[in-house]
């Protein structure tokens, strides 16, 4: 039986200082009362009679009512619902006798939410006078006597805001049924009570004894409801003069901010273009004459300035929307021109806000500036006045792109993260602006850069940084291809080329601020093509060398700031990849400089300038420097050997040390937090192989490994790296390194790599891990794709090893029913079928067909299984493709076996798969699998001819109960049609069969 009063333990348990026992008791009580009629009546009565004085208890009572109204209201009897209404109104009437502050805001808000929920449930039928009853309870019988209760006014306005949130708020997702219901609520309110509500708002805004908070709330209510009530109820002299008055400097800040928000909602209200223009002109004139547009830099008023910025931007944006709408009515050109002129007359004011020192003020204008740029894209010719405004906008963008002088580059916090987000938005505007008027942007960026670089030593760091960043941003903003911007023909030099000349010769890489130096490096790496062209034009690589030196010394790679060193390693690698040939005379000097940056040691106490990942870029740039140099092959080989020697010579001792540590750890104490010593060594060994792999990225069809004389260097390294395959610890880490290195060698070497393939494959196959197998087979496919028949004898030898390794993995994991395991197994099966496809697609199908009879039958059965597996359409497609290639390659002398396989397996699969319930012919991937099955049938026909037709006509098709006329039709199209015709027929055939 539910108690009619709260036990002391429950009251304490609802409080913030409750112990676990009393809190659990309170939770249990809540569960009891929230789902019973008696609990609802108890809570409603307690609130109506103000039984409890504790705020947390009253909050609990409101929570119970909220839950009951949300989830049980339809179950309640009419008498209980009537009791709830009376209790709600009684609560208001009781508290109207006291001051507002006696009921905390959080309780007033929670009560308002419950009122709104009841409104949504009852207003259409049960409680049609809800608004009038609430107004009577809150504001009194006669609100025109210039006196209204403070508490009642406050709660009345909060209830209206809660109703708006529940019924109108577009930020809340509603079902279609809820949307229809809410629309009915609004329609009924328009008919029954909106006029009375508007009058009540007017009274609140005009009565002298109303609190500032209630005035602010009332303005919020007007702004919320204006979106769906008649605009003329608000956009009239009596109301607008009131709202505009609350913008004045004499008002309390909170009221001014609410007035701003309210006017914004009024200004964006949907209406016809002529009405919109008239409204905005009226509002704009009133705002200008009010004097509020002065004093925008008052820090104490910054929140108001933010809202004022949003208001101004919204007013202009809504005019742009009206202008775009009016363009669709070309007959009314005069109105279009009036809108256009009105927009441009107001934009200078908007730019004042956009250029404001506070980024939150500027952010309110970003959408407007985007809208304005989009608007100008629809105008063919811009007059001089517009161009002058665009130039002001350009310099406004430059100002907002600058970092603050207090920006913490070395310790970015929340403020810096927010600024980066703001910068991204400003950059989007800049990109759009550059596409609108590229000539203006180029001209002004060149002016900013040139003037800044002339005297960068005296300029603030943010002025210098943004000047360089503007040049950098042009690469993403300009519509033309960057490669066309740099030409060795002096008559074709572009502004971008000239700007790079200014930057490269300015000496700004010596700037003391790291942000400037980093932006310099970013920019020269982006426009690295300039240095190649400049060397060709001047027959001098001085500018390239001085830039490379900046990368190498304390300005870049030797900087005392880790962030600079890390980023510079990547950028210098990119730079060298393009200008390596120009740096050829200095290659050995550069290699000597970077040698001290490379540390190959697992010992953590060893000082490192760069992380292991950053060193990957150092090895890559070293490889590019050597390969692109003008040295003879012998010299290149010697330099490459010198580069890789520490990796190769240190590999075997480090591998032995790793094994020794692993053995000690196996017999030692339990593992401590963090990686064990042997794991650190394994990671270092993996990096050693990765470093060597990275150097090989310098080779290409133009500079092959053999032509560069480096083949022996890399094969010698491969011999050493293959030792990692013999270890039984940290195999995943080490095998990854070996596999990646071998992958690079398959690309870069020719036949020299083949002797190393067998041992690698056998070792990796012995691993038996699904992930390892999945990663290994693509490498095997790569080898097949490159060497084809050259490697056929070896493939014949290892083929069944690969197949059995796949089967072993699948068998071991067959009992694991987790979704992750299922996905892994599906991936392994697909990888296996892709391996078979690589064989048959590269002319080595004989590797499969010449296996022992038992093994061949096993492989063929897996293909049939894959072709008929309705749960994996990708595997089906690959399986059908492989079967087609096998049929085409089948040895003529073994035609009987081919025919037997076709009749028992292939032909049934071509029908069973499309007829499977999961085979969805509306799915694109499934249709591709069906196409492959039709190609397979055509391949069997080409191989067996009329024998197939007779088999289909007399045996198979009758066995699946096809009518004779359909059988004849199918055989006729199979015999006479080409692949395209038969493919189309098959799709229709199975579509009809499945309907």
């Amino acid at each position: 039986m539910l108690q009619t009063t709260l036990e002391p333990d429950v009251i304490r348990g609802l409080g913030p200082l409750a112990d676990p026992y009393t809190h659990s008791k309170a939770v249990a009580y809540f569960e009891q009362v929230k789902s019973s009629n008696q609990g609802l009546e108890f809570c409603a009565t307690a609130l109506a009679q103000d039984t409890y004085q504790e705020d947390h208890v009253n909050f609990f009572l409101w929570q119970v009512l909220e839950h009951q109204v949300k989830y049980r209201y339809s179950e309640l009897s009419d008498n209980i619902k009537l009791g709830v209404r009376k209790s709600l109104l009684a609560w208001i009437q009781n508290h109207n006798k006291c001051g507002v502050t006696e009921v905390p805001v959080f309780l007033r808000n929670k009560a308002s939410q419950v009122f709104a929920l009841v409104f949504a449930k009852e207003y259409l039928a049960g409680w049609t006078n809800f608004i009038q009853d609430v107004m009577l309870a809150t504001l009194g019988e006669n609100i025109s006597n210039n006196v209204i209760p403070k508490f009642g006014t406050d709660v009345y306005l909060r209830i209206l805001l809660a109703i708006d949130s529940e019924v109108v708020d577009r930020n809340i997702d509603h079902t279609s049924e809820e949307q229809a219901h809410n629309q009915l609520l609004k329609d009924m309110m328009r008919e029954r009570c909106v006029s009375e509500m508007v009058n009540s708002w007017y009274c609140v805004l005009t009565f002298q004894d109303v609190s500032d908070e209630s005035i602010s709330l009332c303005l919020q209510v007007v702004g919320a409801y204006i979106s769906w009530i008649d605009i003329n109820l608000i956009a009239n002299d009596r109301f607008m003069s009131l709202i505009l008055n609350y913008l004045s400097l004499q008002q309390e800040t909170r009221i001014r901010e609410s007035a701003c928000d309210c006017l914004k909602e009024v200004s964006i209200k949907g209406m016809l273009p002529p009405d919109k223009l008239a409204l905005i002109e009226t509002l704009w004139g009133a705002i200008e004459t009010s004097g509020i547009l002065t004093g925008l830099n008052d820090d104490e008023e910054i929140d108001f300035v933010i809202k004022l910025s949003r208001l101004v931007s919204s007013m202009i944006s809504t005019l742009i929307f009206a202008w775009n709408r009016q363009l669709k009515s070309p007959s009314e050109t005069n109105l279009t021109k009036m809108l256009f002129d009105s927009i441009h007359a107001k934009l200078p004011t908007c730019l004042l806000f956009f250029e404001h020192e506070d980024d939150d003020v500027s952010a309110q204008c970003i959408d407007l500036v985007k809208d304005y740029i989009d608007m100008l894209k629809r105008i063919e010719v811009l007059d001089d006045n517009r161009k002058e405004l665009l130039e002001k906008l350009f310099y406004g963008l430059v100002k907002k792109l600058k970092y603050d002088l207090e920006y913490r580059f070395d310790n970015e916090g929340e403020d810096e993260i927010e600024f980066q987000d703001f910068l991204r938005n400003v950059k989007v505007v800049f990109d759009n602006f550059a596409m609108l008027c590229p000539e203006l942007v180029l001209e002004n960026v060149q002016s900013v850069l040139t003037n800044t670089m002339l005297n960068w030593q005296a300029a603030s760091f943010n002025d210098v940084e943004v000047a360089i960043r503007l040049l950098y941003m042009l690469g993403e903003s300009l519509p033309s291809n960057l490669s066309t911007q740099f030409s060795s023909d002096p008559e074709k030099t572009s502004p971008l080329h000239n700007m790079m000349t200014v930057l490269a010769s300015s000496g700004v890489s010596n700037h003391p601020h790291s942000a400037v130096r980093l932006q310099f490096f970013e920019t020269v790496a982006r426009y690295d093509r300039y240095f190649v062209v400049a060397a060709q034009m001047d027959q001098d690589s001085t500018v390239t060398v001085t830039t490379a030196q900046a990368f190498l010394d304390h300005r870049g790679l030797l900087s005392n700031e880790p962030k600079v060193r890390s980023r510079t390693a990547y950028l210098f690698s990119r730079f060298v990849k393009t200008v390596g040939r120009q740096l050829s005379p200095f290659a050995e000097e550069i290699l000597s400089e970077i040698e001290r940056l490379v540390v190959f040691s697992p010992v953590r106490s060893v000082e490192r300038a760069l992380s292991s990942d950053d060193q990957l870029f150092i090895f890559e740039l070293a490889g590019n420097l050597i390969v692109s140099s003008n040295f003879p092959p012998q010299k290149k080989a010697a330099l490459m050997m010198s580069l890789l020697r520490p990796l190769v010579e240190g590999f075997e001792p480090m591998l032995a040390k790793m094994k020794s540590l692993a053995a000690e750890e196996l017999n030692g104490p339990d593992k401590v937090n963090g990686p064990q010593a042997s794991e650190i060594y394994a990671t270092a060994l993996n990096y050693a192989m990765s470093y060597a792999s990275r150097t090989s990225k310098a080779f290409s069809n133009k500079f092959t490994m053999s032509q560069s004389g480096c083949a022996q260097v890399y094969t010698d390294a491969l011999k050493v790296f293959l030792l990692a395959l013999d270890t039984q610890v940290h195999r995943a880490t080490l095998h990854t390194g070996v596999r990646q290195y071998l992958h690079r060698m398959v690309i870069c070497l020719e036949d020299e790599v083949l002797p190393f393939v067998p041992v690698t494959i056998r070792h990796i196959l012995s691993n038996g891990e699904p992930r390892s197998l999945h990663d290994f087979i693509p490498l095997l496919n790569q080898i097949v794709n490159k060497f084809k028949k050259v490697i056929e004898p070896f493939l014949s030898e290892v083929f069944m090893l690969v197949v059995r390794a796949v089967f072993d993995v699948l068998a071991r994991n067959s009992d694991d029913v987790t979704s992750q395991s299922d996905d892994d197994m599906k991936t392994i099966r697909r990888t296996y079928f892709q391996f078979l496809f690589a064989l048959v697609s590269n002319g080595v199908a004989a590797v499969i067909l010449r296996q022992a009879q038992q093994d061949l039958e096993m492989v063929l059965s897996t293909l049939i299984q894959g072709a008929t597996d309705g749960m994996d359409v990708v595997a089906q497609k690959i399986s059908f493709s492989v079967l087609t290639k096998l049929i085409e390659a089948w040895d003529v002398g073994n035609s009987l076996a081919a025919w037997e396989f076709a009749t028992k397996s292939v032909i049934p699969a071509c029908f069973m798969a499309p007829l499977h319930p999961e085979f969805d012919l509306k799915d694109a991937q499934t249709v591709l699998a069906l196409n492959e099955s039709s190609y397979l049938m055509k391949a069997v026909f080409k191989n067996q001819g009329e024998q197939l037709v007779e088999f289909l006509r007399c045996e198979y098709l009758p066995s699946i109960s096809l009518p004779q006329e359909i059988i004849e039709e199918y055989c006729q199209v199979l015999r006479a049609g080409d692949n395209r015709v038969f493919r189309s027929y098959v799709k229709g055939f199975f579509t009809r069969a499945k309907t």
Side-chain angles (χ1 to χ4, degrees), residues 826-873:
K826 182 182 289 187
T827 300
I828 292 294
R829 282 192 293 268
R830 287 184 184 177
T831 305
Y832 162 69
F833 290 132
Q834 286 165 349
F835 169 57
L836 300 182
F837 183 76
L839 294 176
V840 298
S841 299
N842 286 281
V844 287
V847 169
I848 302 174
L849 294 174
R850 293 176 184 170
Q851 294 296 320
Q853 186 71 21
Q854 183 179 357
D855 294 337
L856 175 60
E857 289 176 358
M858 180 174 65
V859 173
L860 294 177
S861 69
T862 63
L863 286 167
I864 296 299
Q865 183 182 359
T868 54
D869 180 9
M871 304 305 294
D872 189 356
V873 69

Side-chain angles (χ1 to χ4, degrees), residues 23 29 43 318 367 444 484 504 506 511 549 555 558 562 579 635 678 759 812 843 851 882 903:
H23 177 70
Y29 185 78
C43 292
T318 198
D367 286 339
N444 284 280
T484 64
S506 66
H511 198 285
Q549 188 57 49
R555 293 168 284 182
L558 299 184
V579 303
K635 179 72 171 178
S678 65
V759 62
R812 285 203 308 272
Q851 294 296 320
V882 175
T903 55

Side-chain angles (χ1 to χ4, degrees), residues 73-291:
Y73 209 70
S74 60
E75 304 172 15
L76 302 179
S77 67
D78 290 342
N79 286 335
I80 294 179
K81 291 179 181 178
L82 181 61
V84 170
R85 296 177 206 164
K86 291 180 178 179
S87 296
L88 292 176
L89 295 175
W91 177 81
I92 294 174
Q93 291 162 349
N94 287 338
H95 284 287
N96 250 343
K97 301 171 186 176
C98 63
V100 180
T101 54
E102 292 189 20
V103 180
V105 171
F106 74 90
L107 275 181
R108 283 177 266 158
N109 285 337
K110 178 56 69 175
S112 300
Q113 291 170 12
V114 175
F115 272 91
L117 289 170
V118 172
F119 168 84
K121 301 283 187 182
E122 290 272 75
Y123 188 63
L124 292 180
W127 194 358
T128 56
N129 291 325
F130 177 95
I131 296 295
Q132 288 87 348
D133 290 347
V134 168
M135 287 176 62
L136 180 63
T138 56
L139 304 180
E141 293 185 6
N142 186 7
I143 64 173
S144 61
N145 60 6
N146 208 24
V147 178
I148 50 178
K150 290 185 178 181
F151 174 82
T153 303
D154 181 275
V155 170
Y156 168 63
L157 296 169
R158 292 181 191 276
I159 290 172
L160 293 184
L161 287 174
I163 289 174
D164 173 78
S165 177
E166 180 69 25
V167 175
V168 182
D169 194 342
R170 294 179 178 85
N171 294 321
I172 300 175
D173 292 330
H174 293 290
T175 64
S176 56
E177 292 80 7
E178 290 171 337
Q179 289 175 354
H181 176 76
N182 292 342
Q183 186 60 48
L184 282 175
L185 289 172
K186 290 188 289 184
D187 291 342
M188 290 298 101
M189 289 180 74
R190 291 188 189 100
E191 290 182 14
R192 296 172 181 170
C193 61
V194 163
S195 295
E196 295 175 67
M197 289 165 56
V198 172
N199 286 332
S200 71
W201 303 340
Y202 183 79
C203 292
V204 172
L205 293 176
T206 53
F207 289 176
Q208 295 180 354
D209 199 31
V210 177
S211 68
D212 289 345
E213 184 173 12
S214 289
I215 293 174
S216 177
L217 284 171
C218 190
L219 290 168
Q220 292 176 43
V221 169
V222 174
Y225 280 73
I226 192 65
S227 67
W228 59 274
I229 66 174
D230 184 358
I231 183 67
N232 294 312
L233 292 171
I234 303 298
N236 51 53
D237 289 342
R238 74 162 188 160
F239 244 108
M240 296 313 296
S241 59
L242 269 177
I243 299 173
L244 287 165
N245 179 61
Y246 284 122
L247 273 179
S248 66
L249 299 173
Q250 290 74 33
Q251 298 293 338
E252 201 260 351
T253 300
R254 176 172 46 179
I255 295 177
R256 299 177 74 202
E257 292 175 13
S258 296
C260 259
D261 287 338
C262 180
L263 286 174
K264 186 205 79 171
E265 296 300 327
V266 172
S267 68
I268 64 175
K269 168 77 172 180
M271 59 185 72
L272 295 173
D275 300 329
K276 176 68 70 176
L277 179 61
L279 174 66
I280 298 300
E281 287 295 346
T282 301
L283 291 177
W284 192 271
I287 289 172
E288 283 189 317
T289 56
S290 68

Side-chain angles (χ1 to χ4, degrees), residues 336-356:
T336 305
K337 184 179 184 305
M338 291 171 63
L339 285 165
F340 190 82
D341 292 341
S342 178
I343 292 165
H344 281 90
K346 296 168 181 54
L347 275 169
T349 302
C350 175
L351 288 180
L352 292 176
F353 287 99
F354 184 65
E355 296 175 7
H356 197 278

Side-chain angles (χ1 to χ4, degrees), residues 422-657:
F422 172 74
L423 271 187
R424 281 190 287 272
N425 291 326
V426 176
K427 184 184 178 302
V428 171
V429 177
F430 181 87
D431 290 344
N432 290 337
F433 186 75
M435 293 186 68
L436 172 69
C437 42
E439 294 82 5
L440 183 149
V441 170
L442 267 174
E443 178 184 341
N444 284 280
V445 169
Q446 187 167 9
S447 174
V448 170
L449 182 76
T450 302
N451 293 333
T452 306
M453 291 302 105
L454 284 173
N455 195 24
W456 62 262
Q457 296 89 341
S460 62
F461 94 86
N462 57 354
D463 285 332
V464 181
E465 193 277 340
V466 80
I468 303 172
R469 183 150 44 95
L470 286 169
L471 172 56
Y472 176 85
M473 288 165 59
L474 288 177
E476 297 171 347
S477 305
L478 291 178
S480 60
N481 192 319
L482 277 183
S483 62
T484 64
Q485 296 288 327
F486 302 109
S487 172
S488 56
D489 185 348
E491 296 181 0
K492 295 182 179 179
T493 55
S494 66
L496 200 59
H497 183 106
N498 295 333
M499 282 187 270
M500 279 302 299
T501 300
V502 169
L503 178 68
S505 59
S506 66
V508 75
S509 61
N510 293 296
H511 198 285
H513 202 290
S514 62
V516 176
R517 297 198 306 275
L518 261 184
Q519 192 56 62
F520 170 82
F521 291 133
E522 295 277 1
T523 306
V524 297
R526 165 160 285 181
Y527 302 122
D528 48 15
R529 175 68 184 162
Y530 159 80
F531 294 91
V532 177
V533 171
Q536 293 172 352
M537 290 176 65
D538 303 331
Q539 298 297 309
D540 184 6
S541 299
T542 301
V543 68
T544 306
V545 174
T546 55
T547 302
Q549 188 57 49
F551 274 109
L552 285 164
D553 61 23
H554 65 279
R555 293 168 284 182
L557 289 171
L558 299 184
S559 169
N560 57 5
E561 298 178 55
K563 182 179 178 180
V564 175
R565 295 196 301 268
S566 175
R567 186 62 182 168
T568 305
Y570 164 71
L571 295 172
F572 192 35
S573 176
R574 280 181 50 189
F575 184 76
V576 169
K577 188 173 183 178
T578 301
V579 303
R581 185 164 289 276
Q582 281 68 39
L583 294 173
S584 180
F586 312 94
E588 291 185 85
E589 184 179 345
I590 294 173
L591 289 171
S592 177
E593 290 278 343
I594 64 176
E595 184 178 357
R596 52 182 164 168
L597 297 172
V598 177
V599 177
F600 174 50
S601 172
V603 181
R604 292 187 170 183
S605 60
V606 175
E607 185 177 352
R608 290 174 170 82
L610 297 171
S611 69
S612 297
D613 286 333
D614 291 335
Q615 289 186 62
L616 288 168
F617 299 117
I618 299 299
F619 276 99
E620 184 175 346
L621 77 86
N624 276 309
L625 201 60
I626 294 169
V627 174
S628 61
S629 69
N630 296 322
F631 298 140
Q634 295 83 353
K635 179 72 171 178
K636 290 182 180 180
L639 290 172
M640 194 66 78
M641 184 178 296
S642 176
L643 176 66
L644 299 183
R645 182 179 293 114
L647 306 177
V648 176
E649 292 182 351
F651 192 88
E652 192 169 359
M654 192 178 292
L655 181 64
K657 180 66 173 177

Side-chain angles (χ1 to χ4, degrees), residues 229 292 361 371 386 474 565 644 749 904 955:
I229 66 174
I292 62 172
V361 177
D371 292 342
R386 312 293 174 246
L474 288 177
R565 295 196 301 268
L644 299 183
L749 289 171
K904 289 184 178 180
E955 295 185 41

